[in-house]
Amino acid sequence: MVGIAVNNSRDNVAMLGIGAYRPQRVVSNDDVCAVLDSTDQWIFERTGIRNRRWISGDETLRSIAAAAGERALVNSGVDRTKIGTLILATSSWLTLTPHGAPSVAFDLGINGIPAFDLTSGCGGFGYALGVAADLIRAGSADYVLVIGAETMTVGLDPTDRGTAMIFGDGAGAVVVGPSESNGISPTVWGSDGENAAAIMQDIDFLEYMHRAQEMQGLDPAEHPVGRMSLRMEGPRVFRWAAVTLPRALSAALEMSGVAKEDIDVFVPHQANARINELMKKNLGLADDIPMANDIENTGNTSAASIPLAMEEMLVTGKAKGGQLALLLGFGAGLSYAGQVVTLPPKPNEPSF
Ligand code: COA
């Protein structure tokens, strides 16, 4: 019988370098409240956010994704010709066709490689990291560039009290590749479509086209088509998170074989500082274990939040390369993904 060849597989993979891009424009809570019916105090007390970055000028999702990817490549020291796949984790690329990753690969001078988008809401980076690690383990690629990038502002209704003060724009990236010892645990991931409507785009493409057709010939000032905006039932997500995420964190620890006491750093998705403090306490992580709090000045950047938060901790010295970190992303879907990892080295080219 004719045999079909398989790739050579390997076991040990790790994040070899990290890079990020933070948009130029800093937007404070007071700036948001110029339009939103809220206050700086309410926003900080309920979410832990003081500032976020919003794109401006010629910054786009494509440009910030490429900027973060470029820094990750430089910081990793990996020759870009060795990158075998690019995964762009995003929910805010503006067209379904074409998707974003091939254009970003072109911008990075690695045109031609397998490049695809991965959409899994705020859990997107964890999903992409898991896929990247498994591609390398299976021998489908030697090195993978994972970029989490979002311009959440394009779908933000600045008057919506459920979302306007929360989301920000940004991009973070890691180069994943073979390593001597293993630096990425098996991924613990899952989804809950029963609660899909808890975070959703309010109108889909067909509904938008339908409305636009109905409005044709009418005065747009009096009959606006409206725009697609993100809506979130915050308390419903909070309740789901309270049940689902502690289980996911315990499973991630168990599958990694790393004891809770050996975790050096906790990097949860930056959705709400209060949720994160609760998760850390309930998991029983020691008080002095550093926890990412990039949300304070970056807001919730969805699939970009975990690499941005890791980068901030490494640049400021709150965490060190090689330390053991517990990661957990969660959000739209609803979905979640987490791993225990060793942190990549402190970036030589930081984002701030
Ligand atoms: N500014 C001021 N007041 C606001 C407000 C705002 N932006 N949004 C709501 N309120 C008011 C409400 O009207 C309500 O007032 P009432 O008590 O007089 O009726 C009160 O604040 C509480 O509203 P609630 O919606 O229960 O707020 P909350 O404490 O749940 O906080 C979130 C809202 C969004 C911050 C919070 O629910 C959250 O972070 N949820 C999880 C989000 C998440 O994890 N997402 C996943 C990743 S994207």
Side-chain angles (χ1 to χ4, degrees):
M1 194 173 139
V2 178
I4 299 177
V6 293
N7 289 326
N8 292 323
S9 61
R10 57 168 78 79
D11 293 330
N12 297 337
V13 299
M15 293 187 282
L16 306 177
I18 188 164
Y21 182 87
R22 294 166 202 271
Q24 303 282 315
R25 183 177 166 209
V26 178
V27 178
S28 69
N29 288 344
D30 284 336
D31 294 334
V32 172
C33 293
V35 185
L36 183 71
D37 176 17
S38 189
T39 61
D40 170 46
Q41 191 190 355
W42 192 97
I43 297 171
F44 181 67
E45 281 177 7
R46 299 286 177 125
T47 68
I49 299 171
R50 289 188 197 279
N51 299 294
R52 71 288 288 143
R53 304 285 186 117
W54 286 359
I55 52 165
S56 60
D58 54 9
E59 289 170 330
T60 62
L61 179 55
R62 178 171 172 171
S63 76
I64 69 174
E70 179 66 34
R71 285 195 175 126
L73 286 167
V74 170
N75 291 331
S76 71
V78 171
D79 183 338
R80 70 189 64 208
T81 60
K82 290 188 176 163
I83 300 294
T85 302
L86 188 156
I87 307 176
L88 177 63
T90 186
S91 299
S92 48
W93 188 262
L94 288 181
T95 53
L96 288 177
T97 308
H99 52 291
S103 303
V104 175
F106 172 74
D107 294 349
L108 289 169
I110 46 178
N111 195 35
I113 64 170
F116 60 92
D117 293 9
L118 190 155
T119 299
S120 189
C122 300
F125 179 79
Y127 269 71
L129 186 65
V131 171
D134 288 351
L135 282 173
I136 298 167
R137 288 201 177 99
S140 300
D142 286 332
Y143 295 86
V144 178
L145 178 60
V146 175
I147 306 176
E150 302 281 12
T151 48
M152 300 303 288
T153 44
V154 299
L156 211 57
D157 172 354
T159 63
D160 178 24
R161 288 173 123 203
T163 55
M165 65 292 175
I166 291 174
F167 291 103
D169 302 335
V174 294
V175 173
V176 185
S179 65
E180 233 165 71
S181 53
N182 189 34
I184 302 178
S185 75
T187 301
V188 168
W189 41 6
S191 70
D192 175 13
E194 193 177 351
N195 280 306
I199 306 175
M200 70 181 296
Q201 184 181 311
D202 54 359
I203 49 175
D204 65 20
F205 288 101
L206 286 179
E207 169 68 15
Y208 182 82
M209 273 163 47
H210 179 68
R211 286 190 195 178
Q213 271 164 357
E214 279 189 338
M215 307 292 177
Q216 258 175 15
L218 299 176
D219 178 0
E222 282 179 34
H223 301 275
V225 177
R227 52 185 277 188
M228 298 175 192
S229 296
L230 190 68
R231 304 287 171 203
M232 177 167 73
E233 294 176 48
R236 184 171 167 192
V237 181
F238 212 118
R239 284 195 298 276
W240 170 84
V243 176
T244 311
L245 304 184
R247 288 188 197 141
L249 288 168
S250 299
L253 285 170
E254 199 181 320
M255 282 177 73
S256 71
V258 174
K260 179 167 68 183
E261 293 69 30
D262 292 325
I263 293 292
D264 300 309
V265 184
F266 182 35
V267 189
H269 170 46
Q270 303 291 289
N272 185 313
R274 307 293 163 249
I275 294 185
N276 291 347
E277 277 156 19
L278 260 174
M279 279 200 298
K280 183 181 172 194
K281 196 165 167 260
N282 292 344
L283 187 63
L285 289 178
D287 284 349
D288 59 353
I289 300 253
M291 178 173 73
N293 193 33
D294 195 37
I295 190 170
E296 185 167 336
N297 288 305
T298 309
N300 177 343
T301 55
S302 192
S305 92
I306 288 185
L308 277 164
M310 286 193 293
E311 199 246 8
E312 191 268 347
M313 294 189 89
L314 290 164
V315 172
T316 56
K318 289 173 199 147
K320 294 190 172 48
Q323 283 186 320
L324 282 171
L326 176 59
L327 314 182
L328 182 67
F330 56 91
L334 299 176
S335 60
Y336 63 88
Q339 295 95 357
V340 172
V341 300
T342 50
L343 289 173
K346 180 179 177 180
N348 292 324
E349 281 204 22
S351 65
F352 59 96

